Amino acid sequence: MHNFCLAVLFTTLTFSSNAQIVSCIDKTVVTSLGVGESGVLDVNAKWTNASTLTVRFLGGSLYIQQKIKQYAHVWENYANIRFNFIEYGDADIRIGFNRGGYWSYAGTQAKRINQNEQTMNYEGFNENTREIEIKRAVLHEFGHALGLLHEHKSPLSRIQWNKPAVYAHYLQMQNWSPQQVDEQVLNRYSVTMSNKDYDPASIMHYPIDPALTLNGYSVGWNTDLSPGDKKLIGEMYPFSTTTTSTGGNNASTVYCTLKNITLDHNVYIGGKYGMRIKGTFQVDNAQGRRCKFVTCFYTSNGTPLRDFNQQYYSSNGNVAVGKDIVPNYSSTLFTNEELFIPYDELHLLNGNHSLKTTTSVFDDQNREIATGGAAYFTYRNGPVFSDIVNVQSFDNTNFKLVVMPKFTIENARSEQFSVVAYFYFENETPVTYYDNGLGQYRNLSFSSAFAPGYDITTYNYGYYSDLFLNVPYSYFPSPGRRTFYKYFTAIFKDGQQVATSNWATFYLDK
Ligand SMILES: [Zn+2]
């Protein structure tokens, strides 16, 4: 709350008058999938938990360097990561001042950049830069450096942008073209990225002037880490309870030091796509004891995924993949220990799934002796449907009811589906009719086949209806009074139901 009030104050005071404010440019590279493919869409940019990241300046005055160090170190209070500022040699993060704008590569994406090039930039930082601006920008850019992404581009944000005003604003403030504004402000990430909930107080959120939205929504200049930022980064880089609370180097205590944990998405092994985890770690004081290297899977809100076939599971019946590791020495280094789980072993329905995974090492007493922290990702499985909203019209010339399901379907171009409408009386007993061919009564339903023509296909939201079911009035009974009906529609693929609507109602006077 305190942050929010402070931020609002900044908005009203300085929003349109402060030309020295610079918005951060998004340098994120997002992995994408082809049409119709299932898999993980996210950037995979988390460093190994408990890492020390080296940081080197490529220029900048001593004053500015000290300021950047001061605010970068703030993250160390909430993330089990250390920033070690070095004078010479290779560094994980290189900070320059001569390129345009403020920006940073996200997390381990910095590894793709040559050592002689910078991975983070603060254009125009000098002794005259306001303290609050340095603080805000450094916290934000080091958030990127830890793997966090822009909060205003979260698909969960639902910001109702006033687009012409947004283009005009960023043209004036940043000299950005409409295309740059699309990329940096308006476009949302296709999936939830590292952040599971939308957090308008996040340091990773751009400010939004109320004039830039259709409903007056605004976000101020966030200048501190929000509670959500601290919680998220603490989950991604947790402080180990075992190694710190039991005094680590005590020879009788089993402990584990993570060297490198990597997660590779969309890996093809043994005829299946899935996720590969590799771990390099050292286990001490557990000679000859059966320890475990394990990855567990959850929804993004922390609910474990349930296992159904005892292929990849933990003792409590949740989805997990793991292997035994038995140290041969009092201090044993395990190198590139590999785990692989096919995506179909996550047992997920069709759609986009926001998920969380944690990788840990356990001792022979099932005590966690090291944790890699939470990694968030979105898994897309098969076609993705929006909510289905049914509308109907009455064709009294041709004596038929026309049912039009309105929905959007993604990731299913040219695939074959059918939509079926099921009809009930008000009391939810099925409407039946006499089938002369069968010589018996049947429940009333009507279906139509369809095949989406685009990667994202929208039905029945335009002026013309392009997918509908014609149901002649003759199929309904004629009690001689007004009768209320209800119906729902379901969509099928290969005989499997993949989406359903809520109830819709209508009446007929017949
Ligand atoms: Zn940024």
Side-chain angles (χ1 to χ4, degrees), residues 78-144:
Y78 309 100
N80 189 7
I81 289 285
R82 289 281 165 271
F83 294 115
N84 180 22
F85 288 83
I86 59 174
E87 303 280 335
Y88 308 100
D90 287 358
D92 298 309
I93 298 164
R94 281 94 57 194
I95 302 173
F97 302 88
N98 298 329
R99 305 267 298 273
Y102 302 160
W103 48 261
S104 170
Y105 284 90
T108 54
Q109 293 198 339
K111 287 180 176 178
R112 305 180 190 188
I113 310 304
N114 288 330
Q115 272 295 326
N116 57 4
E117 291 178 37
Q118 63 190 80
T119 65
M120 187 182 284
N121 192 67
Y122 299 97
E123 180 190 17
F125 260 24
N126 60 44
E127 279 70 4
N128 297 322
T129 308
R130 290 188 311 153
E131 181 86 15
I132 197 81
E133 174 70 359
I134 296 173
K135 177 187 178 190
R136 182 188 72 78
V138 173
L139 288 176
H140 179 102
E141 299 311 333
F142 272 83
H144 283 313

Side-chain angles (χ1 to χ4, degrees), residues 167-401:
Y167 291 128
H169 172 80
Y170 281 98
L171 178 65
Q172 184 200 340
M173 302 294 285
Q174 310 275 155
N175 199 26
W176 282 353
S177 68
Q179 190 196 341
Q180 282 174 297
V181 175
D182 285 344
E183 288 169 2
Q184 301 296 335
V185 184
L186 298 178
N187 290 353
R188 290 171 194 165
Y189 301 124
S190 57
V191 289
T192 50
M193 306 296 283
S194 50
N195 213 337
K196 60 178 179 177
D197 297 317
Y198 171 63
D199 177 12
S202 171
I203 192 71
M204 306 312 293
H205 204 304
Y206 277 16
I208 301 175
D209 188 279
L212 301 185
T213 60
L214 297 171
N215 56 354
Y217 180 76
S218 67
V219 172
W221 284 105
N222 296 336
T223 55
D224 265 313
L225 306 188
S226 71
D229 291 331
K230 294 171 185 174
K231 180 167 180 286
L232 174 65
I233 209 72
E235 277 188 85
M236 290 169 65
Y237 303 103
F239 292 95
S240 166
T241 48
T242 307
T243 52
T244 53
S245 67
T246 58
N249 289 321
N250 181 335
S252 64
T253 305
V254 176
Y255 66 99
C256 176
T257 311
L258 299 179
K259 307 284 187 188
N260 192 30
I261 302 283
T262 58
L263 252 174
D264 293 310
H265 294 298
N266 309 323
V267 177
Y268 191 69
I269 293 178
K272 287 188 169 180
Y273 282 97
M275 187 184 305
R276 181 177 59 201
I277 303 97
K278 281 187 185 173
T280 297
F281 47 89
Q282 181 179 309
V283 180
D284 286 81
N285 306 324
Q287 193 168 1
R289 291 159 69 170
R290 188 185 300 267
C291 302
K292 288 191 181 68
F293 177 49
V294 180
T295 299
C296 297
F297 296 86
Y298 311 84
T299 63
S300 65
N301 63 17
T303 307
L305 299 188
R306 293 295 295 173
D307 174 60
F308 293 105
N309 61 356
Q310 286 81 50
Q311 295 291 311
Y312 293 80
Y313 67 114
S314 60
S315 54
N316 49 15
N318 299 325
V319 174
V321 57
K323 67 194 290 190
D324 289 345
I325 47 156
V326 182
N328 284 326
Y329 311 99
S330 62
S331 181
T332 304
L333 180 69
F334 293 91
T335 304
N336 283 330
E337 291 293 336
E338 196 168 314
L339 305 174
F340 176 77
I341 181 168
Y343 287 133
D344 55 14
E345 293 295 339
L346 300 177
H347 305 299
L348 294 167
L349 299 173
N350 285 327
N352 281 336
H353 298 274
S354 191
L355 302 177
K356 176 167 89 169
T357 175
T358 58
T359 298
S360 308
V361 181
F362 294 89
D363 70 7
D364 56 343
Q365 309 292 311
N366 276 328
R367 291 177 300 209
E368 189 177 66
I369 53 174
T371 174
Y376 287 93
F377 62 97
T378 298
Y379 173 64
R380 184 175 73 186
N381 189 26
V384 179
F385 290 87
S386 68
D387 287 344
I388 302 169
V389 178
N390 289 312
V391 293
Q392 65 276 325
S393 59
F394 300 93
D395 181 350
N396 290 329
T397 308
N398 298 301
F399 301 103
K400 63 186 187 182
L401 169 74

